[in-house]
Amino acid sequence: MSTVPSYFKDFLSNIRLSDNQVNDLKTGHTTLRKRLEEDETLSKIIISTFLQGSYRRSTAVKPKNGNKSDVDVIVVTKLDSEEYTPEEALNLFVPFLEKHYKDKYRIQGRSIGISLSYVDLDIVPTSAPSESETGVLQDEAIISEYTIEDFQQKLLTKSFSNALLESTYNIFCRSDSQPQWKSEPLLIPDREAEKWDKTHPLEQIRWTVEKNKNCNTHYINVVKALKWWRKTQYPDMKHPKSYPLEHFIGDCCPDDIKSVAEGVVLTLENIVSQYTNKPFLADRGVPEHDVFARITDEEYSDFYDTVCDAAKIAREAFDCEELYDSVCKWRELFGNEFPPAPKPSKSNSSTGFTTRTEKSAAIPEGRFA
């Protein structure tokens, strides 16, 4: 008999990026990065390029309604933020874009969007880093395309098939108490605010790796599950989405969860019990930044109401003794990508119960954690 964990495994398989989508992303970002490095003008000011965003952190879910997968490319430049305005910095890329992506790009507030038939790309330029940071940003592990999921199964065993994969893991798993590299925020151009603003994508990646490890590798799947809930159940709700939602999940998901189901329940319940009002979410590596700064109190209130409803459904699903009832509740929360369970017949209804291996003894039933 299938158990709830096996249903979650199938659900996560259903909502993740497909192999074809991943290949499209790789084709898109590899071609873009190669063109940037070979460009006669831009190559002279580019120090390195590396991937960031939900694809790199392995928290992306498959797109819906004809949307395309997307990937963010950080372009570390030699530009002095004192000499170039954000507008001027972004405009330096226009001749390159006209040559390779004519009629497919748009200059955005803090990046350049490129929309191809099979993938969306985001170029995020930065100003010149400090000399001590330059070496780090040119490290093969940083500029590799390895994602957290690529070494998720290696997190606990630390057995790697190649040196670069191991190096990538080590770069992002250095503990705060024993820093082996001095990492600083980068400055990216904010055209609308007319200033260079701090961001720290490497710390976001490192934090996610550490959190995933502390959650027994379930964390990134909790994020995917709740992103899917948000995307499918409330598609018209404006905020939070994307990284702000992921960051909030990270703050609310407890360490040492034993399953994705447990992580989903406790994350939702922690939001309900601890964040009635819109919180200040200090950005990873840039603590003065509020990740929720662009979300209004009213938008947060609407989101909070949806979480209250979701928390009740998730708790009922988690506490269900009978497999069929539990799966029905999870489908109510996550939609049809969560696989259905066969309805038990009267003759075998006595076998339709879960073993409660999904539960943690530390979680009292019906109580907010």
Side-chain angles (χ1 to χ4, degrees):
M1 184 187 75
S2 296
T3 61
V4 172
S6 75
Y7 282 77
F8 264 91
K9 183 178 179 181
D10 291 343
F11 165 58
L12 290 162
S13 178
N14 289 343
I15 67 173
R16 65 183 295 151
L17 296 174
S18 69
D19 289 344
N20 286 340
Q21 288 166 335
V22 171
N23 288 334
D24 285 345
L25 286 173
K26 289 182 176 180
T27 299
H29 78 70
T30 301
T31 303
L32 170 63
R33 295 168 77 186
K34 188 170 186 290
R35 285 171 172 172
L36 285 167
E37 290 160 9
E38 293 177 350
D39 187 77
E40 187 176 350
T41 303
L42 291 181
S43 62
K44 296 172 184 175
I45 63 167
I46 291 176
I47 293 172
S48 72
T49 66
F50 67 90
L51 304 180
Q52 69 143 0
S54 59
Y55 169 67
R56 184 78 186 268
R57 294 189 304 272
S58 297
T59 55
V61 294
K62 69 180 183 181
K64 280 180 63 65
N65 303 325
N67 293 325
K68 291 166 283 186
S69 305
D70 64 280
V71 62
D72 300 335
V73 179
I74 295 281
V75 180
V76 185
T77 76
K78 299 176 182 177
L79 300 177
D80 188 332
S81 59
E82 298 293 326
E83 294 182 12
Y84 288 85
T85 68
E87 184 98 34
E88 289 169 342
L90 290 167
N91 285 341
L92 286 176
F93 287 80
V94 170
F96 167 83
L97 295 163
E98 283 291 313
K99 179 180 178 181
H100 296 289
Y101 301 102
K102 187 174 177 60
D103 299 326
K104 297 175 183 176
Y105 73 91
R106 64 196 179 282
I107 307 294
Q108 301 170 150
R110 296 154 61 105
S111 64
I112 300 163
I114 299 173
S115 183
L116 304 179
S117 60
Y118 60 97
V119 71
D120 286 333
L121 304 166
D122 245 13
I123 298 175
V124 186
T126 80
S127 66
S130 64
E131 285 187 29
S132 62
E133 190 79 352
T134 299
V136 172
L137 296 168
Q138 293 175 323
D139 190 296
E140 280 193 38
I142 298 292
I143 66 178
S144 76
E145 61 181 38
Y146 287 123
T147 67
I148 292 177
E149 211 158 50
D150 287 332
F151 51 74
Q152 176 178 333
Q153 300 306 318
K154 317 295 183 183
L155 288 171
L156 301 177
T157 63
K158 295 189 179 178
S159 59
F160 295 91
S161 56
N162 67 66
L164 181 55
L165 182 56
E166 182 174 9
S167 175
T168 309
Y169 171 81
N170 288 334
I171 276 279
F172 291 120
C173 281
R174 300 167 194 232
S175 68
D176 293 331
S177 59
Q178 295 178 313
Q180 299 178 46
W181 109 81
K182 179 177 171 56
S183 180
E184 303 166 355
L186 294 166
L187 294 178
I188 60 173
D190 189 329
R191 195 164 58 97
E192 294 165 353
E194 297 183 346
K195 67 175 184 177
W196 290 82
D197 206 3
K198 289 181 181 177
T199 187
H200 207 327
L202 294 184
E203 176 58 19
Q204 291 175 357
I205 298 168
R206 187 211 64 79
W207 189 95
T208 306
V209 171
E210 187 70 14
K211 181 69 174 179
N212 199 47
K213 180 180 176 184
N214 293 339
C215 291
N216 299 308
T217 73
H218 297 305
Y219 169 66
I220 59 175
N221 287 326
V222 171
V223 174
K224 284 198 276 270
L226 287 174
K227 277 188 173 180
W228 188 257
W229 159 76
R230 160 71 176 83
K231 176 183 287 195
T232 57
Q233 303 305 309
Y234 301 97
D236 298 327
M237 189 166 60
K238 190 175 180 182
H239 294 295
K241 56 186 177 182
S242 193
Y243 181 70
L245 176 61
E246 177 178 333
H247 183 111
F248 199 24
I249 294 168
D251 283 358
C252 297
C253 182
D255 290 346
D256 205 30
I257 53 175
K258 303 299 189 294
S259 67
V260 178
E262 181 183 5
V264 166
V265 173
L266 294 186
T267 297
L268 292 171
E269 290 184 344
N270 280 340
I271 294 173
V272 171
S273 62
Q274 297 179 30
Y275 298 99
T276 309
N277 299 313
K278 182 171 80 84
F280 181 103
L281 299 186
D283 201 359
R284 320 287 183 214
V286 191
E288 66 270 28
H289 273 196
D290 180 9
V291 175
F292 269 10
R294 298 188 177 190
I295 301 175
T296 67
D297 289 338
E298 185 179 359
E299 287 168 341
Y300 180 78
S301 179
D302 290 343
F303 169 70
Y304 181 82
D305 289 344
T306 68
V307 173
C308 290
D309 293 339
K312 291 175 184 175
I313 298 169
R315 171 54 72 180
E316 289 172 4
F318 194 75
D319 285 347
C320 269
E321 290 287 342
E322 192 167 329
L323 173 65
Y324 176 76
D325 292 339
S326 176
V327 169
C328 286
K329 280 291 178 183
W330 287 121
R331 280 171 61 83
E332 184 181 344
L333 187 70
F334 293 123
N336 292 336
E337 292 293 2
F338 199 95
K343 192 168 185 177
S345 62
K346 289 182 180 180
S347 59
N348 66 2
S349 60
S350 61
T351 63
F353 290 80
T354 65
T355 62
R356 296 174 73 91
T357 53
E358 272 289 298
K359 288 192 187 302
S360 165
I363 313 174
E365 293 185 14
R367 176 183 166 189
F368 288 139

